Amino acid sequence: MDDRFQTTRRGFLKLGGSALAGTAVASCGFSPFKKELSLSKLKKEEKSKETEKWKHSACAMCLMCPLQVKVKNGKIVDVRGEDTAPWNGKVCAKAYGGIWGRVYAPDRILHPLKRVGKRGDAKFVRCSWDEVINAVAGKIREYTDAGHPEWFENWWGCPVQTDNMYFLHYFARITGTRISYMHGQICFGDHSAEKAITFGGNHAGALMLSGADFINMKYALIGGQNFPGNAFTPATAFGASGFYQVYLKARENGFRFAAIDPKLADSSAMADEWIPIKPGMDAVLMMGITHILIQEKLYDADFLATYTNAPQLIRLDNGQAMTDAGGNYLAWNKSKGAAEVLNAAGKNADLDLGLGRTFMVDGVRCQTACAMYADMVSEYTPEKVVELCNLPFPANRVVQIARRLGNNRPSVIVYPGLTTGRYANWFQVLRAYSVVNLFLGNIDQKGGFYVPKHGFKGGSGWPEPPLVPEYPHPDLKMVPASWGNVMAADSLDKKPCYSSPKQFHPATQALPWEHFDAIKEGRVKALFSTAENSAITQVDTALVYECLEKLEMIVVGEQLPKEFVELADYVVPESSYIERSHLYTFTPVAEDGKEHAMALMRAPVIESPGESKPFGWFMKQVGTRAGYAPYFKDLDIDYQWWDRILEKGKCPVRSKDLVENGPYVEVHPLTYNPTFKPIKTRSGRFELFSNELSEECYHHPQSQWKKNRYVFPFPLYIPIAAPKASDEFYLVSGKASWHQKNATQNNRYLMEDGIEGGNPYMPLYLNARRAQALGLKEGELVAVTCIGPTRNDDPCVVDDAVVGYSQKVRIHLTEGLQPDTAFTFFASGHRSKTMLKKVNQGVLHSAFVPLSVEPYAGGCGKNYSLVKISKVGEAN
Ligand SMILES: Nc1nc2c(c(=O)[nH]1)N[C@H]1C(S)=C(S)[C@@H](COP(=O)(O)OP(=O)(O)OC[C@H]3O[C@@H](n4cnc5c(=O)[nH]c(N)nc54)[C@H](O)[C@@H]3O)O[C@H]1N2
Ligand SMILES: Nc1nc2c(c(=O)[nH]1)N[C@H]1C(S)=C(S)[C@@H](COP(=O)(O)OP(=O)(O)OC[C@H]3O[C@@H](n4cnc5c(=O)[nH]c(N)nc54)[C@H](O)[C@@H]3O)O[C@H]1N2
Ligand code: SF4
Ligand SMILES: [Mo]
């Protein structure tokens, strides 16, 4: 251990509350992008000052951007973007905030800590690494000896903030403990299920992450996303500072977009039009648009007949797929005038879309999926759309928007944002968005969605036998999981996905309530959490706290104080993102309109301060002491681990090259081909009528979702519970472009009042006119009380105990908010005792959200809350 960092052992330590840092962040103004130096300058500077060096690494302050870090005498003095497209030297304000507000935060946790006093009191004493490692290894051993290694769980969060999740899964595979990506289902889990159901697994990832050809795009409708500031961007997830340049170039080329959002989000002020939709109504708008596209023949008939199951014949007697004796799906061949087996996508086989017609096949009357959906959407006339969605414009505007999409097809997209599971009906909302895109024929087309054709994906990097002995626990069945990982099929959140019939789609990312139930029932007794703050980011905070209280042991890895740290028995000081290694391989479409297949390394550019260590180091010691030494001995998680991935991904360079030379990039022109990889749905086509939903859920006699409209095979509008009285509102949250979820509120630079400008983080936003009607004025104090949804309002609600929960907050009035909506930035209103005082001021959204579960897609309704608002105090 490096004893330069050893501090004196204090008997009693209370986290947080320290004075502001002395270091100023000169470049951390709100204008987020910084012009940068060229690489040639980099070389000159390196020569002139031996002690100063620009090094290659990666930012992790929201997603991931390649980063150059200037290190002088072991300390970071500057950062800038990597000199590669689409970053071209630029990073955003959060990248600066990260260095000075996380890496060098004055309240950074530098030593292993042990709880004293009550859980949640935030009282800790410093302890040794040995003590924590022994305690955790001891627990794992104790549970393993009792025949239940799964009583110990590892929870991980955001993939870019988690240090080597592949190793985490390997650890679970070896020790038999179980694992969960707790962040998944409250982020995009139902979205990944929806995309897999509609487009098949080969296409799902890119389409979910809005893999799109923005450079050639003419027009887009972007719903539910703080776009472009929070963008999950062309072809894969990386931070907005790269995407922003793609966006500017796209605008130069004529790209325009409308934001569909109850709130005019801070970066969506760049939209050409704001469509202030009433919460939960997007399916109505999407179905209304589909109706106009059909009526005005602005759809792509060839695409529908070639790549989608729009021509598939559906029986009118029972709503199920018409099949031949061999169980094959059927379609109507126009020239033959007869039914035939529906071929896989790719060939235009002269199939009839059958609009306005029915067909007799073997004595059964059928309609095409296309015709059935056309009938369904015909209900959503422009007038009805405007009325139901409460839109502030004449019905004809909906027609104009649909025409603009139809006339510019396929160089248009409609996209529902990445984060989903907002309300109980959101799965059908997502399906309705997807199906508009099918009618526009924009999947893997110029200016439409795009699935990258190149890249260096190389699996998880697990050391396989004979590098290590045969894995223990031979009956542990491993199944594919998120982000190229694998996990145990009997993990709590995978089990229901592999039953017959399936209760949930295997592409769901985690089923958090399964974990909370298991804790309540004593089937999970201890956990290690890293890079997530479930304490406040899972819905129904009271329920979560109640469960966490029951655990025998909580271990939390972190750098900074937060709620989960306060609940921990042991706190593990983790190396920050700039002090550890990780490989990233991905393929953005850059501002040159080309695929950039890329490999880059997050490299440790400074030493970890104090006793902090990468969690991989910690888990290696734990695994070794728990009795699995051969699997962790000689395990190099800094270079060899990543080299195995690079080799398998056929990348010609190795991790050390990437550390020394920066990102490795291969540039390829875009090639459009929707069937570049087979479409992995049941029909082999993109599915307007979901055969999976029909067969696995809606029409399956044993499915718990039988005849449940939330899993109806066609997209469907399902009303959600609504506010009624004049003092009742939807309570909705969103992320700020200058913050990262719950992770940056303790960042004193990003939390500065000055950086917030007209977008204060902590107040509750109300529509100015609605507030005036209630006699409420700017800055006044109100009580916000949860009134729903309840189990009576909505069949998806499983626990409505939060109804009645109330908090006080100051209000901020704005015209940029749909009148039925109250808005709060996500994770304002922290309940931590040790974070910056300011963060306690707002309302904690999750505390107001009853737990609901979307059938089969498993979204948790994270925005689904109804509140009553009343004045309790004057403005300051
Ligand atoms: N009500 C409501 N709930 C929501 C949402 C909403 O809109 N409304 N949004 C949902 C969404 S989309 C998401 S993604 C989730 C997010 O919820 P979480 O999965 O809990 O993720 P984050 O909020 O990103 O928290 C990441 C945590 O990791 C910590 N961290 C950062 N770097 C490191 C590191 O290097 N090591 C370790 N060990 N920790 C680190 C940060 O301090 C932070 O506490 O919340 C969801 N919950
Ligand atoms: N700068 C920055 N970038 C980020 C993040 C961050 O925190 N900061 N977080 C990352 C993560 S984990 C995610 S998941 C994404 C999330 O980022 P976004 O995709 O931007 O998602 P949110 O901010 O959760 O929600 C976006 C909007 O959905 C709106 N909304 C609420 N209800 C409805 C509705 O019924 N219909 C429609 N159309 N809109 C509705 C809210 O008003 C909000 O403005 O961004 C990622 N990128
Ligand atoms: S956009 Fe996100 S990942 Fe990129 S530089 Fe900014 S904070 Fe870092
Ligand atoms: Mo998210």
Side-chain angles (χ1 to χ4, degrees):
M1 193 158 305
D2 184 344
D3 56 11
R4 272 180 312 155
F5 293 112
Q6 291 282 355
T7 59
T8 47
R9 189 176 282 256
R10 275 188 278 168
F12 193 81
L13 189 103
K14 197 163 162 130
L15 289 175
S18 1
L20 283 178
T23 339
V25 198
S27 344
C28 198
F30 187 52
S31 161
F33 304 102
K34 192 184 166 193
K35 285 243 159 44
E36 272 309 340
L37 307 164
S38 69
L39 260 186
S40 53
K41 182 140 186 218
L42 185 161
K43 297 253 159 59
K44 269 186 235 144
E45 278 177 24
E46 272 165 27
K47 276 200 193 117
S48 65
K49 291 186 188 166
E50 298 287 311
T51 54
E52 233 177 59
K53 195 169 167 19
W54 283 98
K55 298 184 178 183
H56 303 281
S57 193
C59 182
M61 281 307 286
C62 70
L63 303 169
M64 191 285 300
C65 289
L67 193 69
Q68 289 185 1
V69 182
K70 189 178 188 177
V71 181
K72 187 175 176 181
N73 300 327
K75 237 187 125 115
I76 299 171
V77 291
D78 201 0
V79 292
R80 65 189 183 195
E82 194 63 77
D83 195 21
T84 187
W87 291 272
N88 306 309
K90 298 186 177 75
V91 285
C92 81
K94 296 190 293 301
Y96 293 88
I99 301 299
W100 286 281
R102 177 170 282 272
V103 178
Y104 293 124
D107 45 1
R108 178 144 174 201
I109 302 164
L110 296 174
H111 305 281
L113 303 175
K114 181 168 75 172
R115 174 168 67 85
V116 290
K118 265 189 26 226
R119 212 177 244 168
D121 275 358
K123 289 180 181 157
F124 295 90
V125 285
R126 190 173 150 185
C127 68
S128 66
W129 268 118
D130 244 18
E131 189 176 345
V132 192
I133 292 163
N134 283 335
V136 178
K139 265 286 168 234
I140 292 177
R141 204 17 55 209
E142 177 194 328
Y143 296 161
T144 307
D145 291 344
H148 290 288
E150 79 285 359
W151 285 348
F152 189 96
E153 285 211 323
N154 308 277
W155 290 5
W156 62 286
C158 184
V160 288
Q161 282 156 3
T162 302
D163 174 9
N164 198 350
M165 63 184 167
Y166 307 111
F167 173 81
L168 197 55
H169 284 248
Y170 174 75
F171 177 87
R173 175 66 183 84
I174 299 304
T175 56
T177 59
R178 293 298 190 265
I179 197 161
S180 182
Y181 174 33
M182 287 303 276
H183 159 120
Q185 207 61 22
I186 45 163
C187 178
F188 61 90
D190 63 337
H191 199 181
S192 72
E194 184 277 321
K195 287 290 175 282
I197 286 164
T198 309
F199 298 96
N202 280 337
H203 294 73
L207 297 179
M208 178 179 79
L209 294 167
S210 120
D213 175 13
F214 281 94
I215 292 301
N216 292 304
M217 198 180 293
K218 301 273 184 290
Y219 183 55
L221 298 183
I222 308 283
Q225 178 155 49
N226 191 342
F227 180 87
N230 287 9
F232 269 83
T233 50
T236 187
F238 62 81
S241 63
F243 177 67
Y244 199 71
Q245 298 187 62
V246 178
Y247 170 79
L248 289 178
K249 183 73 193 160
R251 282 202 78 91
E252 265 177 40
N253 293 353
F255 170 68
R256 297 292 177 266
F257 80 102
I260 309 170
D261 196 315
K263 169 89 164 37
L264 182 62
D266 58 87
S267 75
S268 302
M270 290 179 204
D272 301 280
E273 181 176 12
W274 173 40
I275 304 176
I277 197 164
K278 188 165 144 185
M281 301 307 292
D282 296 53
V284 168
L285 178 60
M286 290 303 131
M287 291 171 85
I289 287 173
T290 310
H291 173 54
I292 298 160
L293 294 177
I294 294 171
Q295 254 194 336
E296 304 205 354
K297 296 204 169 37
L298 288 173
Y299 55 90
D300 188 331
D302 187 47
F303 186 91
L304 284 172
T306 310
Y307 295 107
T308 81
N309 74 342
Q312 186 179 339
L313 292 171
I314 313 295
R315 303 169 63 121
L316 280 172
D317 55 355
N318 62 12
Q320 299 183 33
M322 183 67 199
T323 54
D324 64 9
N328 299 303
Y329 304 134
L330 299 177
W332 194 264
N333 186 302
K334 276 196 275 190
S335 39
K336 289 187 202 151
E340 65 178 22
V341 172
L342 178 71
N343 64 328
K347 275 197 300 266
N348 186 339
D350 206 17
L351 302 181
D352 201 333
L353 291 178
L355 281 168
R357 296 171 54 202
T358 62
F359 302 89
M360 273 307 267
V361 183
D362 289 344
V364 180
R365 185 142 310 272
C366 299
Q367 233 182 339
T368 63
C370 192
M372 272 192 172
Y373 193 55
D375 284 352
M376 282 176 63
V377 296
S378 65
E379 189 187 327
Y380 298 101
T381 59
E383 291 73 23
K384 192 155 176 195
V385 169
V386 164
E387 183 200 324
L388 286 175
C389 301
N390 195 9
L391 297 176
F393 45 63
N396 193 42
R397 184 70 201 126
V398 181
V399 180
Q400 287 167 349
I401 290 167
R403 282 185 188 150
R404 189 162 184 184
L405 286 169
N407 287 325
N408 286 297
R409 68 176 199 277
S411 302
V412 291
I413 62 168
V414 301
Y415 179 65
L418 175 89
T419 171
T420 58
R422 299 176 188 290
Y423 311 98
N425 68 0
W426 206 258
F427 173 64
Q428 289 290 15
V429 167
L430 296 169
R431 287 268 298 144
Y433 269 88
S434 287
V435 167
V436 176
N437 289 306
L438 297 185
F439 277 83
L440 292 167
N442 62 6
I443 311 300
D444 222 20
Q445 304 290 328
K446 187 168 182 182
F449 285 105
Y450 187 72
V451 181
K453 312 292 182 299
H454 302 89
F456 306 115
K457 295 223 172 310
S460 66
W462 285 14
E464 301 285 346
L467 272 180
V468 288
E470 282 303 320
Y471 292 152
H473 313 290
D475 336 324
L476 212 55
K477 186 183 159 221
M478 304 308 287
V479 293
S482 51
W483 306 92
N485 235 312
V486 284
M487 67 190 292
D490 67 348
S491 275
L492 284 172
D493 47 28
K494 281 289 139 196
K495 232 185 222 166
C497 305
Y498 289 93
S499 57
S500 179
K502 295 186 200 103
Q503 276 178 276
F504 291 93
H505 191 280
T508 53
Q509 302 292 329
L511 306 173
W513 63 90
E514 295 278 347
H515 296 264
F516 294 120
D517 281 352
I519 293 173
K520 272 197 238 163
E521 292 159 14
R523 290 179 286 119
V524 168
K525 295 179 191 290
L527 62 85
F528 171 62
S529 151
T530 184
E532 54 102 39
N533 193 12
S534 282
I536 66 150
T537 55
Q538 294 287 340
V539 301
D540 193 343
T541 315
L543 183 78
V544 173
Y545 268 72
E546 190 192 313
C547 292
L548 294 180
E549 274 301 317
K550 290 195 161 50
L551 288 163
E552 288 175 6
M553 183 192 277
I554 301 177
V555 186
V556 175
E558 247 298 0
Q559 290 106 28
L560 292 177
K562 69 180 180 195
E563 287 82 352
F564 220 156
V565 164
E566 293 169 9
L567 291 168
D569 300 287
Y570 290 98
V571 183
V572 173
E574 269 192 40
S575 300
S576 80
Y577 60 97
I578 216 82
E579 297 150 5
R580 60 188 195 226
S581 78
H582 205 295
L583 172 75
Y584 298 94
T585 59
F586 66 131
T587 308
V589 177
E591 76 281 2
D592 57 1
K594 294 190 173 138
E595 284 188 34
H596 288 231
M598 193 175 285
L600 65 100
M601 279 289 282
R602 168 187 309 296
V605 293
I606 52 168
E607 285 193 55
S608 300
E611 292 181 279
S612 50
K613 291 278 187 193
F615 90 61
W617 175 88
F618 167 62
M619 301 294 263
K620 264 169 70 176
Q621 317 305 313
V622 169
T624 303
R625 283 189 215 178
Y628 299 96
Y631 299 93
F632 299 102
K633 193 171 150 274
D634 305 326
L635 188 64
D636 174 348
I637 49 177
D638 276 333
Y639 296 104
Q640 281 168 14
W641 189 287
W642 309 120
D643 283 347
R644 282 192 291 272
I645 298 180
L646 286 165
E647 197 177 338
K648 220 166 153 196
K650 299 199 172 50
C651 185
V653 297
R654 292 294 167 265
S655 51
K656 282 204 170 115
D657 303 327
L658 297 172
V659 170
E660 277 161 27
N661 305 320
Y664 174 78
V665 185
E666 285 178 11
V667 181
H668 303 272
L670 302 194
T671 47
Y672 310 100
N673 177 8
T675 47
F676 170 73
K677 284 187 183 166
I679 297 171
K680 280 193 152 173
T681 58
R682 294 195 179 188
S683 66
R685 290 165 164 255
F686 302 136
E687 292 200 348
L688 162 55
F689 171 89
S690 167
N691 287 296
E692 177 175 342
L693 289 179
S694 170
E695 290 158 14
E696 200 71 30
C697 305
Y698 195 81
H699 292 114
H700 193 296
Q702 270 91 48
S703 171
Q704 74 181 108
W705 313 124
K706 188 183 152 202
K707 298 286 175 207
N708 187 318
R709 62 193 174 141
Y710 290 83
V711 290
F712 192 65
F714 286 107
L716 198 66
Y717 161 59
I718 304 167
I720 57 170
K724 294 185 184 81
S726 63
D727 58 350
E728 295 177 7
F729 296 82
Y730 290 101
L731 179 64
V732 159
S733 70
K735 282 106 188 160
S737 57
W738 75 101
H739 269 273
Q740 161 66 343
K741 297 178 282 186
N742 114 89
T744 49
Q745 286 85 56
N746 197 59
N747 189 306
R748 32 197 36 88
Y749 300 104
L750 302 176
M751 244 335 170
E752 277 285 333
D753 291 347
I755 211 174
E756 293 177 349
N759 291 302
Y761 203 82
M762 289 306 163
L764 181 75
Y765 287 63
L766 288 178
N767 173 281
R769 273 170 291 168
R770 269 297 289 277
Q772 272 154 20
L774 289 173
L776 295 171
K777 296 195 195 69
E778 174 69 22
E780 285 182 341
L781 194 67
V782 299
V784 185
T785 308
C786 176
I787 55 165
T790 66
R791 286 201 281 193
N792 299 332
D793 287 330
D794 194 311
C796 297
V797 176
V798 266
D799 190 327
D800 55 14
V802 304
V803 171
Y805 176 79
S806 189
Q807 244 186 291
K808 289 177 191 155
V809 66
R810 297 216 170 265
I811 53 170
H812 179 56
L813 308 188
T814 174
E815 290 292 336
L817 187 59
Q818 197 276 338
D820 301 310
T821 312
F823 176 89
T824 171
F825 279 115
F826 175 50
S828 68
H830 276 268
R831 46 174 59 181
S832 162
K833 298 182 171 73
T834 53
M835 294 169 72
L836 299 174
K837 284 284 159 278
K838 182 178 174 185
V839 308
N840 300 117
Q841 288 167 15
V843 280
L844 177 59
H845 191 208
S846 311
F848 291 85
V849 182
L851 173 64
S852 62
V853 176
E854 280 174 69
Y856 202 57
C860 289
K862 65 177 176 239
N863 266 203
Y864 198 14
S865 173
L866 302 175
V867 294
K868 200 180 248 319
I869 288 175
S870 58
K871 180 173 159 178
V872 290
E874 302 300 326
N876 277 332

